[in-house]
Amino acid sequence: MADAAGRPLLRVEAAVKEYGERVKTVALAGVTVSLRAGEFAALVGPSGSGKSTLLNLVGLLDRPTSGRIWLGDTETTALDESGLTAVRARMLGFVFQFHHLLPAFTALENVMLPEWGDTGFASQALRRRAAELLRAVGLADRMSYRTTDLSGGQQQRVAVARALVRRPPLVLADEPTGNLDTESSVEVLELMRRFNRELGTTFLVVTHDPRIANACDRVVELVDGRVQSDHQNDAPR
Amino acid sequence: MPFAWFVALRYLRDAKGQTALILAAVSVGVSVIVFLSALITGLQASLIEKTLGSQPHVTVRVPREAPRALVEPSAETAIARNVQATSQRLRSIDQWPLVMADLERVAGVTAVAPLVTGAGFALRADAKLPIAVRGIDAERFLSILDVRRSLVAGRYDVAGGNVLVASTLATDLGVATGDKIRITTTEGVDDTVTVAGVFTLGNEAVDSTWVLTSLRHAQSLYALPGGATSLELKVADVFEAERVAEEAHDRSGLDAQSWMKRNAELLAGLSAQSGSKAVIQFFVVVAVALGIASVLIVSVVQKSREIGILRAVGTAPRRVLAVFLIQGGVLGLLGSIVGSAFGALLSKLFESMARDPNGAPKFPIELDLSLFAATAALATGVGLLAAVIPARRAARLDPARAIRNG
Ligand SMILES: Nc1ncnc2c1ncn2[C@@H]1O[C@H](COP(=O)(O)OP(=O)(O)OP(=O)(O)O)[C@@H](O)[C@H]1O
Ligand SMILES: [Mg+2]
């Protein structure tokens, strides 16, 4: 896989993550996995199997005890904190399980946040792009609402819009539909699939919901901190 | 608006209660500082003004005659008492017009006046009172002490046998303008003069002894034709007086004494006062800083999840740092504005309440823009400084930990 087209967007190699000083919890016991650009992959597994841990490592929010992680051409375990922040800003979008919107900000400001917080300024172009995304997720009339005044599904859609505002090549979503009803879950999933189709954004989605997993191109299963299975979904959904 | 400013102001606005409370605390602190500064500065200024209302900034006169040994001690002669204090007599400054011209060139000197001063008695009817005769150059002396403005009766005139008499002395002698008094001096000279005016300088020792006459008249009263026993100097900055005195001494070889030397006790008192003011202000500043710091630390703890999210979605640590530094600075600045206004109000109120019977304020207050500017700068700086620890804590928050567990 020497050519640029075939090079994976994300490569995790023998990633180990241990927690604790004296009593060690092994959350990841050597995970090797990679994602090609444009893939829409599900990460499944029982509770405590290390899904969130893996996502945090890939999201550069945490460092592996050992192993390596490449994002594009960058080997990230060698980077310092400001290097990590820069790669995070350039390459990654996040949708967290508990949406993690900021209550002090409006929906629009939340969507603008990733670029605004990185560059320090809110350009008109950014404002337009954020508004466009909110329209695309069906929240045109809720832009200036504080996020605490939105429903759970609406909040999660704002979170998806926020993850996409910088057009990152890779979006990491940790149980994005975890506390949504079926209808809202489908909406949010559809939304992500649409951006995957239209913008070619790569998604790695942690989920417990078999229906969501079945709607993905590929399903990676973790058990006890190891990759148990990794297969393509021939007919998603 | 830059991101950090936006977030900082939003946080301050959202936490209304907390913000209002700490602003109130900062304001109270600042108003104490402003009030104390205004009061003490005003008090000191008026004390110094009062002191300098009746004495020159620098006085230059002939040095005391040093006692000379009559016999030098040697191997054979032991001496029980080597020195006998010399009695001092009135002497004129040698070539005083030249000395005066020279002293006028000393940096910071704005006026020089020649005087002949001596002691004597004033006699009228049964009264015989000790006086201090001061022969002055009418024009020049006005720039040293503005006696014309201190006249309570009559006119400023010391020519042709006219004299000005200090108010208490005039009362004690029972004289008013137009009356005549007899003067005898320590040189044994006698003369009768006419009271042209009565003045008061606000210093009891001065007001009960001074008689101002012309330089020429005093020269004849003390048998010092053409002489001057002292030169009095006025300087631009009163606290430069000591330096000017030293320079005057170096240039002329004469004795030069500044008002600061003469009033060393007053100055020591003032500086002790300034010192205690500084101590109080220091502790107020510390209290304000601790207040701001503690509010921001609480805020960082409360918002640690939000800060983690900010960090996780790409906000650089230094911007998180800025968010909290700005909050500290803004709290300090706003508090100083409110506090300055409050302190000014308090000062004015105090000034108008504590008044002398004649309506003049007992504690004159000195408020100026530089005090407000300095206080604002200080409070902002303290706010920033107080925010350093919370801000660093915020910037170092681990985004992963904040994200976990919803
Ligand atoms: N900060 C931590 N300190 C200690 N142990 C941790 C920490 N975070 C996770 N773990 C442990 O690591 C293991 C994997 O946790 P992780 O959160 O990755 O599981 P998960 O697959 O996301 O589970 P779930 O589906 O319940 O979210 C668990 O055993 C957990 O207890
Ligand atoms: Mg999890």
Side-chain angles (χ1 to χ4, degrees):
Chain A
M1 279 210 253
D3 58 322
R7 180 177 297 160
L9 177 63
L10 164 71
R11 195 145 62 90
V12 179
E13 209 172 81
V16 171
K17 180 69 184 175
E18 292 172 355
Y19 286 111
E21 295 284 303
R22 280 203 262 129
V23 186
K24 289 227 164 64
T25 313
V26 181
L28 292 180
V31 168
T32 299
V33 72
S34 54
L35 280 182
R36 275 174 291 109
E39 272 193 302
F40 198 103
L43 185 60
V44 301
S47 183
S49 57
K51 305 184 294 295
S52 295
T53 304
L54 180 59
L55 221 61
N56 282 346
L57 294 188
V58 172
L60 309 183
L61 298 174
D62 218 344
R63 292 171 185 275
T65 310
S66 68
R68 286 161 177 245
I69 297 168
W70 278 268
L71 275 167
D73 294 330
T74 315
E75 204 287 288
T76 60
T77 53
L79 296 176
D80 64 3
E81 194 56 41
S82 65
L84 292 181
T85 304
V87 174
R88 203 150 62 210
R90 188 162 44 97
M91 304 271 302
L92 297 169
F94 292 91
V95 183
F96 305 101
Q97 177 168 6
F98 301 96
H99 68 72
H100 288 319
L101 298 177
L102 294 184
F105 295 76
T106 65
L108 186 70
E109 287 160 1
N110 262 286
V111 175
M112 288 160 59
L113 206 59
E115 182 172 321
W116 195 10
D118 179 37
T119 62
F121 286 92
S123 64
Q124 279 307 315
L126 170 62
R127 205 171 281 278
R128 267 198 304 279
R129 215 169 341 118
E132 225 166 78
L133 274 167
L134 278 176
R135 259 192 294 281
V137 300
L139 292 173
D141 55 343
R142 293 287 188 277
M143 291 190 194
S144 54
Y145 277 49
R146 287 282 181 111
T147 55
T148 41
D149 298 335
L150 298 177
S151 76
Q154 288 170 334
Q155 290 180 0
Q156 204 58 287
R157 281 185 275 157
V158 173
V160 173
R162 183 178 67 184
L164 291 165
V165 74
R166 301 201 87 180
R167 305 270 151 86
L170 176 60
V171 170
L172 306 170
D174 196 350
E175 305 190 43
T177 62
N179 40 14
L180 296 183
D181 61 30
T182 317
E183 200 177 325
S184 305
S185 302
V186 172
E187 261 176 38
V188 170
L189 181 72
E190 293 273 82
L191 201 61
M192 294 194 295
R193 288 244 56 156
R194 206 178 90 214
F195 286 114
N196 170 246
R197 254 194 332 270
E198 291 173 3
L199 301 173
T201 309
T202 309
F203 280 83
L204 180 58
V205 182
V206 172
T207 185
H208 280 293
D209 188 339
R211 279 169 310 163
I212 303 249
N214 286 335
C216 296
D217 300 334
R218 178 180 166 193
V219 178
V220 179
E221 187 185 8
L222 282 188
V223 173
D224 289 341
R226 289 172 207 282
V227 178
Q228 173 88 7
S229 71
D230 182 351
H231 64 270
Q232 297 291 328
N233 236 346
D234 294 333
R237 176 175 313 226
Chain B
M1 193 187 301
F3 179 75
W5 277 92
F6 179 87
V7 179
L9 296 183
R10 179 64 63 85
Y11 278 177
L12 285 177
R13 212 185 65 194
D14 278 4
K16 277 195 190 64
Q18 255 174 31
T19 306
L21 218 63
I22 190 62
L23 268 185
V26 176
S27 302
V28 168
V30 168
S31 65
V32 167
I33 291 178
V34 166
F35 176 64
L36 211 60
S37 283
L39 182 65
I40 290 190
T41 314
L43 206 61
Q44 298 196 339
S46 90
L47 269 174
I48 288 172
E49 197 185 328
K50 250 178 213 152
T51 306
L52 292 180
S54 59
Q55 50 179 274
H57 297 168
V58 178
T59 306
V60 176
R61 56 163 67 87
V62 181
R64 284 173 184 281
E65 278 180 77
R68 283 184 304 271
L70 300 172
V71 185
E72 289 302 320
S74 65
E76 297 92 64
T77 32
I79 291 170
R81 186 171 170 200
N82 192 358
V83 186
Q84 178 165 29
T86 335
S87 60
Q88 303 291 326
R89 65 194 163 85
L90 222 47
R91 284 183 303 150
S92 172
I93 295 172
D94 215 21
Q95 312 261 28
W96 64 263
L98 290 182
V99 177
M100 184 166 84
D102 186 42
L103 292 183
E104 272 172 339
R105 283 194 293 273
V106 174
V109 171
T110 57
V112 183
L115 285 93
V116 169
T117 60
F121 287 96
L123 299 95
R124 185 167 188 273
D126 295 337
K128 179 175 184 182
L129 296 170
I131 57 169
V133 174
R134 296 171 65 81
I136 58 172
D137 175 322
E139 267 319 299
R140 284 179 172 269
F141 190 67
L142 278 184
S143 17
I144 306 294
L145 291 179
D146 193 355
V147 178
R148 203 201 306 256
R149 242 189 34 199
S150 312
L151 282 178
V152 291
R155 60 192 201 293
Y156 184 73
D157 181 8
V158 291
N162 284 323
V163 297
L164 301 175
V165 179
S167 56
T168 311
L169 180 62
T171 312
D172 292 349
L173 289 170
V175 296
T177 37
D179 292 347
K180 294 201 180 308
I181 47 176
R182 233 181 88 215
I183 292 176
T184 55
T185 71
T186 45
E187 294 296 312
V189 181
D190 242 319
D191 198 8
T192 303
V193 292
T194 310
V195 178
V198 177
F199 63 89
T200 179
L201 288 178
N203 174 326
E204 206 37 50
V206 166
D207 286 342
S208 60
T209 56
W210 276 20
V211 172
L212 297 182
T213 182
S214 69
L215 189 62
R216 185 174 297 275
H217 185 222
Q219 286 167 351
S220 67
L221 285 176
Y222 290 96
L224 288 171
T229 55
S230 62
L231 294 171
E232 297 190 342
L233 275 59
K234 187 181 177 72
V235 298
D237 174 359
V238 296
F239 290 103
E240 283 282 281
E242 183 52 31
R243 182 194 59 75
V244 169
E246 275 163 23
E247 197 174 334
H249 169 73
D250 291 345
R251 285 173 91 121
S252 64
L254 299 170
D255 248 12
Q257 196 183 38
S258 70
W259 73 275
M260 298 162 80
K261 268 270 166 57
R262 276 194 303 268
N263 300 280
E265 244 170 78
L266 171 72
L267 283 176
L270 293 188
S271 101
Q273 204 178 44
S274 297
S276 50
K277 178 186 81 169
V279 168
I280 294 174
Q281 291 182 339
F282 172 77
F283 283 110
V284 170
V285 165
V286 168
V288 164
L290 290 178
I292 292 178
S294 68
V295 161
L296 289 180
I297 285 176
V298 169
S299 164
V300 168
V301 171
Q302 281 175 341
K303 296 206 156 61
S304 58
R305 215 196 70 164
E306 288 182 43
I307 295 162
I309 298 165
L310 279 175
R311 294 274 292 104
V313 299
T315 306
R318 70 193 152 82
R319 247 184 264 292
V320 173
L321 190 82
V323 165
F324 285 87
L325 288 181
I326 289 170
Q327 289 187 63
V330 166
L331 284 174
L333 183 65
L334 283 184
S336 75
I337 290 171
V338 178
S340 290
F342 191 61
L345 195 77
L346 206 69
S347 310
K348 283 294 166 197
L349 213 69
F350 190 76
E351 187 183 37
S352 67
M353 269 169 17
R355 282 190 184 282
D356 279 339
N358 66 2
K362 229 181 226 149
F363 304 100
I365 293 289
E366 203 155 292
L367 287 169
D368 57 10
L369 231 65
S370 69
L371 172 62
F372 295 132
T375 313
L378 175 76
T380 310
V382 165
L384 280 175
L385 218 64
V388 166
I389 290 173
R392 284 168 65 125
R393 222 168 127 167
R396 288 210 194 111
L397 271 182
D398 172 11
R401 181 165 307 161
I403 293 296
R404 270 193 296 266
N405 315 323

